[in-house]
């Protein structure tokens, strides 16, 4: 299958490396890459190694027409306010009969139902496993392993950058130092304030609620509260009491609809939600038939995000 990548940053490059590694068994071919500042690369025979970029295509439509791929991989930065321009990128791909896979939670948080409908009308697949918890099964877990279950809610620690930053504060470093550590790992959002202020967690919570609970929520409706005001002194004082801080995303179904809450919470070290070290994430899904089941990802990095894209791709190729 031929692929067109929209975005070639941390995730796009990790995905290209993964494809190279699995090339013998999975002969997918990247035939176009489009970026904001680095330009556009097109080669129908396949782009490998260090692709040579020419001037940027004038528009996403021009790029997709030139790439003539079967699958578009959308990996541009999160925009928690509108989900754009990724939503338009995805629509342009559907309009050309392309399947779409994205790691960008903005479109799922802002336009999931409309995009799902557009994919159906175009007769193509729309997948987004790595939007939440990187490559760990979340949507596919519910889709494939929880038939007939109603999702009553969920509880998750879904943002790795804030965990890295809290750990840095505990060591006496500044918030900026902590953000730099997360940036070096390639896990921070292009605008790291979206991590710190809870917008990444809010977008993930909305994506989960829209997909798994048939909600119609957007990040602005969540009013997240992140860790922006935390200081090393506060984190160290909490640690002395056996406590720490996690940005926790909670959802529950009520008679009035799906309620979401995204807050930095003080938790004892012994709490399941705070017990995982490093970049590790955790999601507990509360159901009517299966009680609470969860998925855990231990120290995920950008390679696991790339794996989420890859797993979606293999699934589309098979079906
Ligand atoms: N990093 C992670 O661990 C992780 C985990 C899960 C999900 N995600 C999601 O994956 C997506 C990509 O993350 P990332 O870390 O790879 O971001 P990144 O390193 O900032 O890369 C973003 C890429 O998108 C390109 N781009 C920006 N605006 C564009 C536009 N309008 N049209 C075409 N290309 C555009 C950039 O172009 P230039 O190179 O020219 O600047 C860059 O290549 C984000 O939505 C993020 O939320 C990331």
């Amino acid at each position: 299958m031929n692929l067109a990548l929209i975005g070639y940053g941390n995730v796009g490059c990790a995905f290209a490396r993964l494809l190279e590694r699995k090339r013998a068994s999975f002969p997918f071919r990247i035939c176009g890459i489009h970026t904001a500042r680095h330009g556009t690369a097109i080669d129908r025979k396949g782009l490998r190694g260090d692709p040579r970029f020419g001037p940027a295509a004038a528009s996403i439509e021009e790029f997709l027409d030139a790439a003539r791929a079967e699958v578009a991989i959308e990996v541009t930065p999160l925009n928690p306010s509108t989900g754009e321009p990724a939503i338009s990128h995805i629509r342009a791909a559907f309009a050309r009969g392309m399947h779409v896979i994205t790691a960008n939670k903005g479109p799922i948080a802002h336009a999931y139902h409309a995009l799902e409908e557009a994919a159906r009308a175009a007769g193509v697949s729309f997948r987004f496993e790595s939007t939440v918890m990187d490559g760990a099964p979340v949507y596919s877990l519910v889709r494939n392993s929880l038939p007939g279950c109603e999702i009553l809610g969920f509880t998750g620690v879904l943002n790795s950058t804030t965990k890295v930053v809290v750990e840095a504060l505990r060591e006496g470093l500044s918030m900026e130092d902590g953000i730099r550590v997360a940036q070096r790992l390639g896990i921070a959002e292009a605008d790291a304030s979206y991590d710190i202020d809870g917008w990444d967690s809010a977008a993930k919570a909305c994506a989960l609620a829209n997909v798994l609970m048939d909600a119609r929520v957007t990040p602005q409706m969540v009013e997240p509260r992140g860790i922006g005001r935390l200081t090393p002194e506060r984190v160290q004082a909490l640690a002395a009491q056996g406590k720490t801080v996690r940005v926790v995303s909670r959802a529950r179904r009520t008679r009035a609809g799906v309620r979401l809450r995204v807050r930095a919470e003080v938790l004892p070290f012994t709490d399941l939600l705070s017990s995982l070290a490093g970049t590790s994430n955790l999601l507990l899904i509360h159901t009517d038939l299966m009680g609470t089941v969860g998925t855990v990802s231990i120290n995920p990095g950008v390679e696991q995000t790339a794996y989420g894209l890859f797993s979606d791709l293999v699934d589309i190729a098979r079906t």
Side-chain angles (χ1 to χ4, degrees), residues 80 105 109 158 194 197-208 217-220 222-224 247 249 260 262:
K105 64 229 83 159
L158 306 173
Y194 295 157
D197 296 334
W199 289 105
D200 173 76
S201 295
K204 286 171 173 161
C206 291
L208 289 172
V217 283
T218 62
Q220 286 80 359
V222 179
E223 296 179 11
V247 178
S249 300
L260 294 182
V262 175

Side-chain angles (χ1 to χ4, degrees), residues 166-184:
V166 169
E167 186 52 32
L169 294 176
R170 197 175 66 80
E171 289 168 8
L173 299 173
S174 68
M175 178 127 345
E176 290 67 31
D177 290 333
I179 291 170
R180 272 193 288 276
V181 175
Q183 285 168 334
R184 273 200 296 277

Side-chain angles (χ1 to χ4, degrees), residues 18 43 69 195 291 297:
L18 191 160
D43 187 343
D195 293 303
S297 184

Side-chain angles (χ1 to χ4, degrees), residues 143-162:
R143 190 169 60 237
N144 300 326
S145 304
L146 295 174
C149 281
E150 184 184 0
I151 308 302
L152 305 175
F154 57 81
T155 310
V157 175
L158 306 173
N159 180 273
S160 298
T161 293
T162 45

Side-chain angles (χ1 to χ4, degrees), residues 6-11 34-38 75-78 85 89 103-105 130 134 186-187 189-190 302 305:
I6 310 167
Y8 199 61
N10 293 309
V11 175
H34 184 51
T35 71
R37 292 165 301 167
H38 288 87
V75 279
T76 66
L78 167 68
H89 295 164
N104 188 338
K105 64 229 83 159
S130 52
D134 309 297
I187 60 166
E189 285 300 323
V302 74
T305 311

